[in-house]
Amino acid sequence: MTAYDELMAFQRQTEALAQVAGRLGWDQETMMPEGAAAQRAEEIGALEAVLHARRTDPRIGDWLAAAEAPDAVARAQLRQIRRSYARAMKVPARLAEEIAATTSLAQGIWAECRSRDDVAGFLPTLRKVVELKRAEGAALAAGGDPYDALVDDYEPGMTGAAIASMFNAMRPRLVSLREKVLGAEAPHGLVGTFGHDDQLALARELATAFGYDWSRGRIDLAVHPFSSGSGHDVRITTRVSETDPFNCFYSTIHEVGHAAYEQGIDPAYALTPIGQGVSMGVHESQSRSYENQLGRSRAFTGWLFGQMREIFGDFGIADEDAFYRAVNRVHPGYIRTEADEVHYNLHIMMRFDLERALIRGDLDVADLEAAWNDRFRADFGVAVDRPANGMLQDVHWSCGLFGYFPTYTLGNVYAGCLVKALRAEVAGLDAMMAKGDVSAATGWLRDRLQRHGALYEPREVVQRACGFEPSEGPLLDYLEAKFGEIYGV
Amino acid sequence: MTAYDELMAFQRQTEALAQVAGRLGWDQETMMPEGAAAQRAEEIGALEAVLHARRTDPRIGDWLAAAEAPDAVARAQLRQIRRSYARAMKVPARLAEEIAATTSLAQGIWAECRSRDDVAGFLPTLRKVVELKRAEGAALAAGGDPYDALVDDYEPGMTGAAIASMFNAMRPRLVSLREKVLGAEAPHGLVGTFGHDDQLALARELATAFGYDWSRGRIDLAVHPFSSGSGHDVRITTRVSETDPFNCFYSTIHEVGHAAYEQGIDPAYALTPIGQGVSMGVHESQSRSYENQLGRSRAFTGWLFGQMREIFGDFGIADEDAFYRAVNRVHPGYIRTEADEVHYNLHIMMRFDLERALIRGDLDVADLEAAWNDRFRADFGVAVDRPANGMLQDVHWSCGLFGYFPTYTLGNVYAGCLVKALRAEVAGLDAMMAKGDVSAATGWLRDRLQRHGALYEPREVVQRACGFEPSEGPLLDYLEAKFGEIYGV
């Protein structure tokens, strides 16, 4: 066996164990009896210890030094291994353990404080997490910008400066669009209740329509929708609100986008370092384009309206046009996860600026709430009414996920580029989607992007798929055109 | 940290990883999409490799040499670790790998051959498995009897000779009982179909009645009923046949017996070597006593009859007495897993004699079918009609589970002893069970036996619970009295 073969055999077992860890996470959110929580924490801890030992195994360094890559696939495998090994070796074991232990506890404290609107109770924990993540960022950056080093974990090659420049170009256009739209008359919403089982049955149909491969997946209920797993076992979850069926339908389509990416990767890459989505931003580009650019299009919502009328009867919406406006209703609100396409990126931008300032030491944790509330008033035009609707709303920071938020908007930006290219290349898309047939769109995305997994770097894979350099322009053009037309502004 | 503490900390992580492996097995039988099978095999293989490395870690030997046990619990922990370490070290790694690889393939070949009644197709595989297990037995026995060494894995301290002596005492009385019963008039069976969801709902009620702790478990459907996990996450499965509700109800009660044992163990022992059932025989004593001595008693079936009448209406059974006879109907048949209490142990005895002869080299694989068919005709009075109903019916041998079969009957024998002692000590048991209240019985079993986990050796824990030396007498007395009364013989 060559050094490369030995390294890949070792890595394959590590990837298999990582899949097991993911499956435990899925089980915890969907199946696990509540009394098993403490034991499960030990089980996951034992498995994470095994994974950490493998990821920092010094033989990886030896193999990497000796390995030769005969082709582009092998070079990409080595690039992925080199990156994760370098990251794992830069963070001292004690710091990694302290981060794991602190964030594990912090999530419970955050949930408790959010339920009581208790900012003061959460601040000491948040301060500790910020300190640890600053230390991790510094260890990873080795003299560079600690926030960049954290971002790089979710979006290799991306920097805080590049994100800031993109976000600064987007913000004025989004604020202006938002103001115009909210000045116009609001569309009608749905009326009535929508049966639990009927919603789930239609959600399954939607998943099928968007190309979800049931032979390698399943759908279950969970508090928060998610997609889990790579390769031949990629499961999704959804949730049901009897008064808000769009929650179930569009979170399902969103998760199908994530899952379709994983399921669409060349099977030859399964259980290898390139056998998974290349970054959070590219992942989000799939879920967002499935959910928004395709799922909330005039064409597809026309088909969905017919399906819903057949199943649920009259729900107070007269026709396809009114339904399209209801699906794409813009409503101001405090909560990121409930935001529409116009507001969503404004939520992300403020989190990005705030967390970057925290990690770079430009903002103290004690001043975060005031900074949040000031920015919210500036961008959204209203005051935050309570911390649970403000700086306590997201779990991310308590999990230590600094550098993660911007990948959501990056995903939207990439989705804007991809769907622009898709529409330029595939004729008759809307006519097909109007009949519920999304296969031309999902097939194009699979062929152009999904199948490559992590073969190419994030920006590179998007650029190859689109045929042009990705930028925020297509997303903004799309949003202004779509909502300008819906609201007549 | 003392050597003992270090050893126990190491062992705790191993036990946690073993629970993860068990959870993967559960997922595979209940939740996994079919297309994930090959990837799952790799995931389990990777985890088993981690477990094998931990179980043969030479530091265990050093810790064992240095560890001091201050009390009975610590002594039992060391006994369990010493036993599993000695076993793991005696089997050469290559042999262990070959057994794993061969039996993994053999199960598929067995299923295929069984479906085609193809004995000749299965024999080369069976021969290979027998050879490997003989080699393993020889390595473990180190000069002793290889079959004893295999039995010891499932039932520590038990030997082939001791089992043979017990079985030889049982066989004539069982054959004689069987002949008398089959000479009498057969009771009526149930008529009609029984709705899937109603069966499951009643199965859940039965599980609750038998003390299943839902906060630390759940029930799902699977092809073969099983119980899985230890400590705070012990899950069971069942199955539903619309024409045979007893299949669902009694397999549920059976699995609840297994699960209640694991759930009943002192929580202080969770994720330690004594934090699980001490042997297969003792485990089976719980599932069998729950299912048969308690669940098929006149008192409990009286309550069950009322429940079933309420849910399913008239199903052709006039009253509680007729229902009791229907539940305990004795019917000759080829299949072990469908056997009644009178026939069941006769199935086991023939498997025990045959597999013991195979491992000791007294029977060649080529002669197995003839030996099976001769013995079946002798004990059951009819000829085997096809191999799928004969020597191809059980998966065990293809899995390499030689030495496992006798623990089923050992479980019945222990159950006979335990329920004899229970009935002598707890007054009013039948009056309570006639109202569906089994808590006095399950509470006694938990207090006397289950809570100890593997603190005591198998025979010892049964003897402590009963207050007398376990033997086959109580089981045979129970069977003769019960079926003598039902059949008037």
Side-chain angles (χ1 to χ4, degrees):
Chain A
M1 288 233 288
T2 66
Y4 177 78
D5 292 339
E6 283 184 31
L7 174 57
M8 287 300 287
F10 181 83
Q11 198 66 36
R12 193 171 181 91
Q13 283 205 314
T14 307
E15 300 291 343
L17 293 168
Q19 287 300 309
V20 173
R23 191 60 57 229
L24 286 184
W26 170 86
D27 183 85
Q28 190 163 335
E29 301 298 326
T30 56
M31 299 291 158
M32 190 183 80
E34 55 177 336
Q39 178 170 316
R40 174 56 56 86
E42 275 201 67
E43 293 168 6
I44 289 179
L47 190 53
E48 288 296 339
V50 169
L51 281 166
H52 181 78
R54 292 185 71 93
R55 286 170 178 151
T56 53
D57 191 311
R59 288 176 297 172
I60 298 176
D62 301 338
W63 283 319
L64 280 172
E68 285 170 30
D71 55 33
V73 168
R75 276 192 296 279
Q77 301 283 20
L78 291 179
R79 179 196 75 217
Q80 294 293 99
I81 299 170
R82 199 167 279 122
R83 175 179 288 141
S84 78
Y85 182 64
R87 288 188 71 90
M89 296 304 281
K90 277 180 190 161
V91 180
R94 268 188 75 160
L95 178 58
E97 279 163 32
E98 209 181 341
I99 290 173
T102 303
T103 55
S104 164
L105 287 173
Q107 289 169 60
I109 295 169
W110 163 77
E112 180 61 31
C113 290
R114 184 178 67 157
S115 74
R116 291 197 316 254
D117 281 313
D118 181 3
V119 172
F122 182 54
L123 285 190
T125 299
L126 182 60
R127 182 178 299 283
K128 179 82 190 151
V129 176
V130 169
E131 275 166 17
L132 290 168
K133 293 300 288 188
R134 291 185 69 188
E136 187 190 18
L140 289 167
D145 183 316
Y147 185 73
D148 286 358
L150 297 180
V151 166
D152 192 77
D153 202 19
Y154 310 111
E155 199 65 29
M158 187 53 68
T159 65
I163 296 168
S165 146
M166 177 187 282
F167 285 7
N168 288 338
M170 294 171 74
R171 192 173 161 204
R173 281 174 71 179
L174 287 173
V175 169
S176 151
L177 176 60
R178 180 193 168 277
E179 280 166 6
K180 276 193 276 184
V181 162
L182 290 184
E185 198 188 343
H188 292 292
L190 309 194
V191 174
T193 59
F194 302 80
H196 184 278
D197 293 352
D198 285 338
Q199 285 197 41
L200 272 187
L202 183 48
R204 294 181 70 92
E205 246 192 273
L206 290 168
T208 303
F210 277 86
Y212 187 61
D213 179 353
W214 294 99
S215 78
R216 296 184 288 145
R218 52 179 290 132
I219 188 167
D220 294 278
L221 292 171
V223 176
H224 302 287
F226 63 92
S227 164
S228 154
S230 293
H232 301 280
D233 195 349
V234 187
R235 306 182 187 184
I236 57 174
T237 66
T238 190
R239 61 182 166 196
V240 174
S241 152
E242 297 220 332
T243 54
D244 179 12
F246 293 150
N247 193 320
C248 174
F249 300 154
Y250 284 99
S251 73
T252 300
I253 298 175
H254 181 98
E255 299 309 331
V256 166
H258 284 300
Y261 186 8
E262 296 292 337
Q263 290 184 330
I265 295 172
D266 187 333
Y269 302 164
L271 296 182
T272 76
I274 66 168
Q276 50 198 296
V278 68
S279 74
M280 294 301 131
V282 178
H283 238 298
E284 203 71 11
S285 77
Q286 302 306 291
S287 57
R288 297 277 162 173
S289 56
Y290 279 52
E291 177 189 353
N292 292 332
Q293 277 94 340
L294 304 174
R296 289 193 167 94
S297 66
R298 173 63 184 81
F300 188 76
T301 56
W303 179 80
L304 180 58
F305 177 68
Q307 299 298 304
M308 283 185 65
R309 281 296 294 257
E310 222 166 83
I311 297 167
F312 301 110
D314 182 15
F315 43 85
I317 301 288
D319 57 27
E320 291 185 8
D321 282 321
F323 185 77
Y324 175 53
R325 289 194 295 272
V327 166
N328 288 289
R329 205 175 172 198
V330 176
H331 45 91
Y334 301 112
I335 303 295
R336 175 184 59 83
T337 57
E338 299 167 2
D340 52 72
E341 285 185 83
V342 173
H343 283 98
Y344 191 87
N345 298 301
L346 291 170
H347 281 281
I348 296 304
M349 288 170 191
M350 61 178 281
R351 284 159 181 75
F352 164 71
D353 285 335
L354 294 172
E355 71 175 18
R356 190 171 177 222
L358 285 172
I359 295 296
R360 287 154 64 111
D362 299 335
L363 175 66
D364 190 86
V365 166
D367 301 322
L368 176 62
E369 186 181 17
W372 179 293
N373 291 350
D374 288 350
R375 172 69 174 261
F376 192 83
R377 187 190 293 272
D379 279 6
F380 293 79
V382 286
V384 171
D385 64 343
R386 47 183 283 207
N389 285 336
M391 64 157 276
L392 291 181
Q393 73 179 262
D394 296 306
V395 71
H396 297 59
W397 289 336
S398 69
C399 300
L401 292 174
F402 288 87
Y404 192 107
F405 276 125
T407 69
Y408 290 125
T409 285
L410 203 56
N412 282 328
V413 165
Y414 287 157
C417 299
L418 289 164
V419 176
K420 180 183 176 179
L422 163 68
R423 287 196 169 274
E425 288 191 28
V426 180
L429 203 63
D430 283 328
M432 287 184 277
M433 290 205 294
K435 294 177 188 149
D437 180 1
V438 199
S439 61
T442 56
W444 188 91
L445 286 165
R446 185 169 57 249
D447 182 57
R448 288 302 184 90
L449 185 141
Q450 293 168 359
R451 71 184 170 90
H452 297 306
L455 178 62
Y456 305 114
E457 296 273 9
R459 271 187 81 84
E460 186 188 356
V461 77
V462 177
Q463 176 158 359
R464 279 173 174 266
C466 297
F468 54 81
E469 181 82 20
S471 78
E472 66 281 4
L475 173 69
L476 294 170
D477 295 344
Y478 152 80
L479 290 173
E480 285 166 354
K482 175 175 179 175
F483 290 94
E485 187 244 313
I486 291 176
Y487 281 84
V489 293
Chain B
M1 290 233 289
T2 66
Y4 178 79
D5 291 340
E6 284 184 30
L7 174 58
M8 288 300 288
F10 181 84
Q11 197 65 36
R12 194 172 180 92
Q13 282 204 315
T14 308
E15 301 290 343
L17 292 168
Q19 288 301 309
V20 173
R23 189 61 57 229
L24 286 183
W26 171 86
D27 184 85
Q28 189 163 336
E29 302 297 326
T30 56
M31 299 291 158
M32 190 182 80
E34 55 178 336
Q39 178 170 318
R40 175 55 58 86
E42 276 200 68
E43 292 167 6
I44 290 179
L47 190 54
E48 287 297 338
V50 169
L51 281 166
H52 182 77
R54 292 185 70 93
R55 285 171 178 150
T56 55
D57 192 311
R59 286 175 297 172
I60 297 176
D62 301 337
W63 283 319
L64 280 171
E68 283 170 32
D71 54 32
V73 168
R75 276 192 297 278
Q77 302 284 20
L78 291 178
R79 180 196 74 217
Q80 294 292 99
I81 298 170
R82 197 167 280 124
R83 176 180 287 141
S84 77
Y85 182 63
R87 289 188 71 90
M89 296 304 281
K90 277 180 191 162
V91 181
R94 267 189 75 161
L95 178 59
E97 280 163 30
E98 210 181 339
I99 291 174
T102 304
T103 54
S104 164
L105 288 173
Q107 290 170 58
I109 296 168
W110 163 78
E112 180 61 31
C113 290
R114 184 179 68 157
S115 74
R116 292 195 317 254
D117 282 313
D118 182 2
V119 172
F122 183 53
L123 285 189
T125 298
L126 181 60
R127 183 178 299 282
K128 180 81 188 153
V129 175
V130 169
E131 275 166 18
L132 290 168
K133 293 300 287 189
R134 290 185 69 187
E136 187 190 19
L140 289 167
D145 184 317
Y147 185 74
D148 286 359
L150 297 180
V151 166
D152 192 75
D153 201 20
Y154 310 111
E155 199 65 28
M158 188 53 68
T159 66
I163 295 166
S165 149
M166 176 188 281
F167 284 8
N168 288 337
M170 295 172 74
R171 191 172 160 205
R173 281 174 72 178
L174 287 173
V175 169
S176 153
L177 175 60
R178 179 192 169 277
E179 281 167 3
K180 277 193 276 185
V181 162
L182 290 182
E185 200 188 339
H188 293 291
L190 309 194
V191 174
T193 59
F194 301 80
H196 184 278
D197 293 351
D198 285 337
Q199 284 196 42
L200 272 187
L202 183 49
R204 294 182 71 92
E205 247 191 90
L206 290 169
T208 304
F210 277 86
Y212 187 60
D213 178 354
W214 294 101
S215 79
R216 296 184 289 145
R218 52 179 290 131
I219 188 167
D220 295 279
L221 293 171
V223 176
H224 302 287
F226 63 91
S227 164
S228 155
S230 293
H232 300 281
D233 195 350
V234 188
R235 306 181 187 184
I236 58 174
T237 66
T238 189
R239 60 183 167 195
V240 174
S241 152
E242 297 220 331
T243 55
D244 179 12
F246 293 151
N247 193 319
C248 174
F249 300 154
Y250 284 99
S251 74
T252 300
I253 297 174
H254 181 98
E255 299 310 331
V256 166
H258 284 300
Y261 186 9
E262 295 293 337
Q263 291 183 329
I265 295 171
D266 188 333
Y269 302 164
L271 296 182
T272 76
I274 66 168
Q276 50 198 296
V278 67
S279 75
M280 293 300 130
V282 178
H283 238 298
E284 204 70 12
S285 77
Q286 302 307 292
S287 57
R288 298 276 163 173
S289 57
Y290 279 52
E291 176 188 354
N292 293 330
Q293 279 94 339
L294 303 174
R296 289 192 166 96
S297 65
R298 173 64 185 81
F300 187 77
T301 56
W303 178 80
L304 180 58
F305 176 69
Q307 299 297 305
M308 284 185 63
R309 281 297 295 257
E310 222 167 82
I311 297 167
F312 302 110
D314 182 14
F315 42 85
I317 301 288
D319 56 27
E320 291 185 8
D321 283 321
F323 185 77
Y324 175 53
R325 289 194 294 271
V327 166
N328 289 288
R329 204 175 172 196
V330 176
H331 46 90
Y334 301 111
I335 304 296
R336 176 185 58 84
T337 57
E338 299 168 2
D340 52 71
E341 285 185 84
V342 174
H343 283 99
Y344 192 86
N345 298 300
L346 290 170
H347 282 280
I348 296 304
M349 289 170 191
M350 62 177 282
R351 286 160 180 74
F352 164 71
D353 285 335
L354 295 171
E355 70 174 19
R356 190 172 178 221
L358 285 171
I359 295 296
R360 289 155 63 112
D362 299 335
L363 175 66
D364 190 87
V365 167
D367 302 322
L368 176 62
E369 187 182 16
W372 179 292
N373 292 349
D374 287 351
R375 172 68 175 263
F376 193 83
R377 186 190 291 273
D379 280 6
F380 293 79
V382 287
V384 171
D385 64 342
R386 47 182 284 204
N389 286 335
M391 63 157 277
L392 291 181
Q393 73 180 262
D394 295 305
V395 72
H396 297 58
W397 289 337
S398 69
C399 300
L401 293 173
F402 289 87
Y404 192 107
F405 276 125
T407 68
Y408 291 125
T409 285
L410 204 56
N412 283 327
V413 165
Y414 287 157
C417 298
L418 288 164
V419 176
K420 180 183 176 178
L422 162 68
R423 286 196 169 274
E425 288 190 29
V426 179
L429 203 62
D430 283 327
M432 288 183 277
M433 291 205 293
K435 294 178 189 149
D437 179 2
V438 199
S439 61
T442 56
W444 187 91
L445 286 165
R446 184 167 57 249
D447 182 56
R448 288 302 185 90
L449 185 142
Q450 294 169 358
R451 71 184 170 91
H452 297 306
L455 178 63
Y456 305 113
E457 296 273 9
R459 271 186 81 83
E460 187 188 356
V461 77
V462 177
Q463 177 159 0
R464 280 174 173 265
C466 298
F468 55 80
E469 179 82 22
S471 79
E472 66 282 3
L475 173 69
L476 295 169
D477 295 344
Y478 152 79
L479 291 173
E480 286 167 354
K482 175 175 179 175
F483 291 93
E485 188 244 314
I486 291 176
Y487 281 84
V489 294

